[in-house]
Amino acid sequence: MFDFLLTEEQLKLREAARDLVKWVPRKMILDMDADKITFPKEFLQEAAGRGLFGCRYPKQWGGQEMDWVTSCMLMQEVGTLGYIFACTFGIGSELVCDAIILHGTDGQKEKYVKPLIKGELFAAECLTEPRGGSDFFGTTTTAVDKGDYFLLNGQKRFIVGAEGADYFLVYARTDPDAEPHKALTCFIVDRSEGVDTKYLYGLMGCRGGGAGRVVFKDVRVPKENIIGKLHGAYSVFNTMMIPERLGTAAMTIGAASPALDVATSYSSRRKAFGQVINQFQGVSFQVAEAAMLLDAARSMVYMTARAVDAGSEQNLIRRMVSETKKFVTESCQKVAHNAMQVMGGIGYTNVYPIERISRDLRLASIWTGTNEVMSVIAASEWYREYAKIRAARLPRDYEADSVASDEVEEKIYE
């Protein structure tokens, strides 16, 4: 699908991703969902060995110097295995790497990015805390300056990859008296003395990704492990929202696609009332709607990816990424809903994977910023954008294009 958007080089990489998808044993998928595998290290090493990690990054650090369209394509393909596969794939090779590549030093890139892209190290991002996730500035984890190092204390939760990570990207409060935008710092924290991880959540779906609680107790973090500037975590966080939210949208498409595949196959064979059920509009229209939603979701993801690649204005990208994350995740949840509805009772069992897909996809509209937060951002950026459009003058005064537009006494605004 959408092959015309991809170059020959991208199509070749897509085939490598599809070969990875074929390689994954059925037992691995089932064991992860059953929490028999708590972190898919073997899968991540295989993906890295096939050259699928870090496609957007400079070759100097092990990447392939490609673009966001390529990243989205890879996330979509990996996501077909299940949402958690794409989550763990993206956390390290896209998310943590992005922070270090964009804001880190060459020494940090050499020490942490290159081995991660090779599959020799694994990483996790630590943002969410027990008191809340979307409230970034409410972080209570602290890092106190002790001269040669910072002393880190606090805890993070729901951290995907916590169980298998060799190092963590951690946001902590370094200036308790500063205004929120200048109070936090981003650190690279090695798994060392004082770092404790617990795989303890009874997750509804997306199991087997090492999601856990990370507790930091008097952890010494060297000053050379600051990413970006001291008290400058906000700048890191802003750039991270692109891989977090655009990546989430792309992987959600992949995770939802098998639901449409299974429902289409089922409805093409299942008979009721003397005919194949795809002959009934009540069935075929739901399948058609699911296909339409996936096509619309792909269109939105790739358009947004192109906007990011083109270096579009930051407020526009912020709005587009937020809209994309919200629209795509909700559309894909509707795809899974339609698939189960088409299949009826059997879709509600574990005879088919629809129930697992539905459980997994529920996470999509919650993590990396809830969809309600996406609406807040989209609304804010749209009104700001509209003010600029008005200031620059619209192509015409659309409000005047009505019969009674001159009835000014009827236009009451206060």
Side-chain angles (χ1 to χ4, degrees):
M1 300 292 280
F2 287 36
D3 288 11
F4 54 85
L5 289 176
L6 305 176
T7 65
E8 288 187 14
E9 186 180 15
Q10 289 168 330
L11 288 170
K12 184 177 179 180
L13 195 62
R14 187 183 68 178
E15 287 310 304
R18 290 182 173 179
D19 284 341
L20 172 69
V21 169
K22 293 176 185 175
W23 170 86
V24 171
R26 169 178 177 269
K27 190 174 187 300
M28 182 183 292
I29 295 173
L30 300 182
D31 283 353
M32 286 174 67
D33 191 46
D35 270 335
K36 294 178 180 178
I37 294 175
T38 57
F39 183 73
K41 183 175 289 189
E42 182 184 1
F43 163 73
L44 295 173
Q45 290 172 329
E46 184 70 24
R50 292 170 182 256
L52 298 176
F53 275 5
C55 69
R56 287 184 290 111
Y57 307 126
K59 292 180 180 179
Q60 178 183 3
W61 310 118
Q64 301 183 49
E65 298 183 0
M66 299 180 80
D67 56 17
W68 264 107
V69 169
T70 310
S71 275
C72 288
M73 174 272 293
L74 283 177
M75 297 299 286
Q76 180 181 328
E77 293 297 331
V78 173
T80 61
L81 287 165
Y83 202 63
I84 193 58
F85 283 89
C87 290
T88 53
F89 179 96
I91 288 292
S93 68
E94 294 283 334
L95 199 55
V96 174
C97 278
D98 242 45
I100 303 174
I101 289 290
L102 294 175
H103 302 276
T105 64
D106 284 356
Q108 290 171 344
K109 295 168 191 176
E110 184 71 34
K111 183 177 180 180
Y112 293 104
V113 172
K114 286 182 74 172
L116 192 153
I117 289 177
K118 290 179 181 179
E120 297 170 354
L121 291 178
F122 304 100
E125 183 202 27
C126 294
L127 178 59
T128 301
E129 295 193 356
R131 67 173 301 280
S134 296
D135 183 8
F136 171 68
F137 296 113
T139 297
T140 59
T141 297
T142 61
V144 179
D145 192 339
K146 293 294 184 179
D148 295 333
Y149 62 90
F150 281 85
L151 198 64
L152 182 69
N153 282 281
Q155 65 173 277
K156 307 286 183 173
R157 70 171 178 177
F158 306 148
I159 306 305
V160 175
E163 186 75 358
D166 297 292
Y167 67 92
F168 304 87
L169 189 72
V170 182
Y171 295 92
R173 189 169 299 279
T174 47
D175 189 345
D177 300 319
E179 57 186 280
H181 289 66
K182 300 177 181 179
L184 308 181
T185 302
C186 186
F187 296 93
I188 297 171
V189 180
D190 293 300
R191 185 183 287 274
S192 57
E193 185 178 355
V195 178
D196 184 30
T197 60
K198 295 181 180 179
Y199 185 79
L200 47 72
Y201 298 111
L203 299 176
M204 173 180 169
C206 289
R207 302 166 184 156
R213 178 187 296 160
V214 185
V215 179
F216 305 103
K217 186 176 181 180
D218 293 334
V219 180
R220 292 191 174 203
V221 182
K223 287 194 169 180
E224 60 264 29
N225 279 26
I226 291 176
I227 297 181
K229 297 179 180 179
L230 180 63
H231 314 315
Y234 181 57
S235 295
V236 180
F237 176 78
N238 268 345
T239 56
M240 295 290 277
M241 290 306 97
I242 297 175
E244 281 209 357
R245 292 163 181 174
L246 183 53
T248 287
M251 70 174 72
T252 307
I253 294 171
S257 296
L260 175 60
D261 179 271
V262 171
T264 303
S265 174
Y266 181 86
S267 61
S268 299
R269 293 180 289 172
R270 173 72 170 177
K271 291 184 178 180
F273 305 104
Q275 58 183 312
V276 178
I277 62 173
N278 68 6
Q279 298 300 308
F280 298 111
Q281 290 181 345
V283 171
S284 63
F285 282 11
Q286 293 202 64
V287 171
E289 181 185 41
M292 175 188 71
L293 289 171
L294 283 176
D295 280 341
R298 290 188 192 95
S299 298
M300 208 161 184
V301 163
Y302 286 118
M303 180 181 73
T304 302
R306 286 281 179 91
V308 176
D309 286 331
S312 301
E313 199 267 332
Q314 283 303 111
N315 288 341
L316 175 63
I317 289 175
R318 182 174 159 85
R319 176 170 68 84
M320 291 179 68
V321 167
S322 300
E323 290 172 345
T324 300
K325 194 265 184 182
K326 176 179 170 63
F327 176 82
V328 172
T329 56
E330 292 176 2
S331 294
C332 288
Q333 287 168 352
K334 184 68 164 66
V335 168
H337 168 87
N338 283 20
M340 186 175 290
Q341 199 68 20
V342 161
M343 297 179 69
I346 196 67
Y348 195 64
T349 72
N350 61 6
V351 173
Y352 292 93
I354 304 299
E355 60 86 24
R356 173 177 56 80
I357 293 170
S358 296
R359 286 188 284 108
D360 288 350
L361 287 179
R362 191 61 189 86
L363 175 65
S365 56
I366 298 172
W367 84 321
T368 69
T370 66
N371 281 8
E372 289 71 27
V373 170
M374 298 303 100
S375 294
V376 169
I377 295 171
S380 174
E381 296 299 343
W382 169 247
Y383 276 105
R384 185 178 289 116
E385 189 176 328
Y386 181 73
K388 292 180 181 179
I389 294 171
R390 294 292 298 187
R393 296 192 178 182
L394 294 166
R396 63 181 291 118
D397 182 4
Y398 301 117
E399 192 175 299
D401 294 336
S402 62
V403 173
S405 62
D406 57 349
E407 296 290 342
V408 294
E409 66 274 11
E410 294 299 327
K411 297 182 176 181
I412 309 299
Y413 302 110
E414 294 184 2

